[in-house]
Amino acid sequence: MTTTNQALKSWVDEVAALTTPDNIQWCTGSQEEYDALIQLMLGDGTMQELNQDKWPGCYYHRSDKGDVARVEHLTFICTKTKEEAGPNNNWEAPEVMKEKLTGLFSGCMKGRTMYVVPYCMGPVKSPYSKVGIEITDSPYVAANMRIMTRMGTQALEKLGDSTDFVRGLHSIGELDPDRRFICHFPDSREIWSFGSGYGGNALLGKKCHALRIASAQARDEDWMAEHMLILGLENPQGEVRYVTAAFPSACGKTNLAMLIPPAHYKGWKAWCVGDDIAWMRYAEDGRLYAINPEAGFFGVAPGTSEKTNKNALESLKKNSIFTNTAVTSEGEPWWEGMTKTPPAKATDWKGNEWTPDKNDGVAAHPNSRFTAPAGQCPVASPKMEDPQGVPIDAIIFGGRRAKTAPLVFEAFNWEHGVYVGAMAASETTAAATGAVGVVRRDPMAMKPFCGYNFGDYFAHWLKMGKKSDKAPKIFHVNWFRQDDDGKFIWPGFGDNMRVLEWILKRCADETDAVETPIGNVPAPHTIDLEGVDIDEQTVERLLGVEPEAWTEELAGQKEFLETYGDKMPKEMWDQYEKLKERLSAVSTS
Ligand code: GTP
Ligand code: SPV
Ligand code: MN
């Protein structure tokens, strides 16, 4: 035992008594310990060695076929009342859920080792970082946690004898989808996750702690826990300015977080601070600062290539874990979109032999992922480790919209920006189980991750804007607009830099915009398109705001606002009325 923390010791004893493991292993986070975990998994076949000459320190894991994504319908927020959790969450009373889960956890670690995984979300020296302890019976989870968080002794030392830590209890159970529950108890800062070994369901520091529990804690303590990337943009004069961006799962955060500016942007450089989660608070200078609570990337593999995201590929070349990708006959990981020519022969994510002419499906699961140390990113910002974080100029919301949403627009002010974020909608992706490609509202990209009632969450956002006259400006982007044939009309990826430049210029009052009912769009020719093969008509379409489409959108917005009854702040209804007026003014003029 490596701690004198009585609260921690007695909780671990309690959990051991409930789950009856054969062994208890306290994780220190050392390299030897990690290597031993890998050896253990190589031994029992849950991990496979990849080609060590080409992929040093890289390993492969195939998860259970029925356990490949987050499960939103099995994710619960267990607050005292249903209203606190809100219509945006599944709810169960804490004591009812705990009784049910106690039954499932009872004796579930028999024959297994219980790993006690202390972790710190955020730089260890940051006053804004938070410690959690995950107890798990999965060595795969323990290994991934070492990449994704500051894990082990350093976290225990930070905790000291404090009782202030998130208690996360996890068991893979039997991986039975009918006995799977991902439950959060925001009041007692606890997470109980049973029956899944995958990603956000199982790596409890990530979505469960750093978003669902943290969002509730942030509401109580006047800060923000958001599903956002953090990106620094350095201009040729060497000045770096930072933005955060909230896009739903599998909608481009990791890609934007490490983008490579187009050749035309000489002297510009992008710095990655974070690719998925931002914790933000005001500093004494009145500015909003963000830290990345994570230490690794759990990134979507498909579509990641030298062309689309070279920096991600560089990040994952060594010391990484691949889950549910394909593996070539050379022992290399592979996924759709990675290379122009697919490998002649591979084993697919289900373990079946795969050849390119085999047309019964993809080789890699659409939600297959890599776990890579963030420090390996060639453009990892030195500020990743800064205890104070980075000051934010702009907050960007976005989604995957084939129609309606233009490439970029600027909110008129903070309050309008909160409305824009709250009304964001996006086509669903493979990051969660369920239908793909259906437009649904995903406020601030937090639909699956907000640990309390969205009505209260919007109120919290509104309040945060009033705390300072230096609050960031708010924007909305859409990289995914399509033509009638379903082809993307914006090149995206590195070229998104052009939109970011416009955003930064707006923040510095250096470029023009045209007012539309939904917000300010770029004035003609204010987005630098030099070197992009795009015609004038397409640009018009990209930036176009069609009042008819938005009037249709209004109906959906009203319905959404109504769902929250009295909890929906009045300011949001005011914004709705104003938008309605602006839209009717243009359609009657
Ligand atoms: P999570 O990790 O689930 O939160 O996802 P994410 O938001 O980090 O998404 P990611 O950057 O991994 O991108 C998901 C998919 O969108 C990948 O297949 C990318 O190739 C694709 N993508 C990202 N950016 C763009 C873009 O600008 N244009 C287009 N067309 N596709 C993009
Ligand atoms: C997401 O779905 O937004 C992810 C992956 O980042 S997971 O960790 O599974 O939540
Ligand atoms: Mn995410």
Side-chain angles (χ1 to χ4, degrees), residues 58-127:
C58 289
Y59 299 92
Y60 177 75
H61 173 75
R62 201 172 273 129
S63 73
D64 190 88
K65 283 189 212 39
D67 184 33
V68 294
R70 284 183 292 99
V71 280
E72 294 177 9
H73 61 295
L74 302 173
T75 300
F76 287 78
I77 300 295
C78 305
T79 40
K80 266 191 226 85
T81 63
K82 188 171 163 59
E83 196 189 29
E84 284 169 81
N88 45 307
N89 283 304
N90 301 313
W91 175 85
E92 186 53 88
E95 55 288 356
V96 174
M97 188 53 96
K98 280 209 173 152
E99 195 181 316
K100 180 154 139 183
L101 290 177
T102 298
L104 293 176
F105 274 105
S106 183
C108 72
M109 295 190 191
K110 204 169 166 46
R112 300 178 186 171
T113 295
M114 175 173 116
Y115 300 93
V116 181
V117 182
Y119 61 88
C120 177
M121 299 311 285
V124 175
K125 291 206 173 72
S126 172

Side-chain angles (χ1 to χ4, degrees), residues 305-453:
S305 72
E306 288 283 337
K307 222 176 126 210
T308 58
N309 195 349
K310 190 168 191 300
N311 286 329
L313 268 195
E314 290 295 324
S315 311
L316 55 75
K317 272 193 173 152
K318 52 183 183 186
N319 310 319
S320 297
I321 296 173
F322 297 84
T323 304
N324 295 342
T325 62
V327 180
T328 71
S329 51
E330 305 288 305
E332 299 191 68
W334 189 82
W335 48 80
E336 275 69 21
M338 183 192 202
T339 51
K340 224 178 184 170
T341 327
K345 231 171 110 183
T347 308
D348 71 12
W349 69 275
K350 291 179 182 161
N352 299 324
E353 207 170 278
W354 183 92
T355 51
D357 54 8
K358 201 173 166 184
N359 54 11
D360 67 345
V362 289
H365 187 277
N367 191 38
S368 56
R369 298 210 173 223
F370 53 83
T371 318
Q376 288 184 183
C377 181
V379 298
S381 165
K383 298 275 184 183
M384 229 178 226
E385 295 297 330
D386 192 321
Q388 294 303 320
V390 294
I392 302 304
D393 275 14
I395 292 175
I396 306 169
F397 294 117
R400 195 180 269 274
R401 297 296 297 269
K403 292 191 290 246
T404 317
L407 182 62
V408 58
F409 66 94
E410 175 197 47
F412 299 124
N413 50 49
W414 180 274
E415 199 169 298
H416 178 232
V418 174
Y419 186 77
V420 167
M423 293 305 142
S426 192
E427 290 148 25
T428 52
T429 66
T433 55
V436 168
V438 185
V439 176
R440 73 158 181 186
R441 293 217 168 271
D442 193 347
M444 281 83 170
M446 284 287 277
K447 170 71 188 67
F449 308 120
C450 183
Y452 60 106
N453 192 313

Side-chain angles (χ1 to χ4, degrees), residues 207 227 247-256 275-276 298-300 302-304 308 367 369 400 431 479-480 488 490-493 496:
K207 296 303 170 36
H227 191 202
F247 308 154
S249 303
C251 290
K253 287 182 302 301
T254 301
N255 278 268
L256 193 68
D275 82 322
D276 199 52
F298 185 63
V300 177
T304 307
T308 58
N367 191 38
R369 298 210 173 223
R400 195 180 269 274
W479 315 138
F480 298 94
F488 295 121
W490 173 247
F493 302 102
N496 293 331

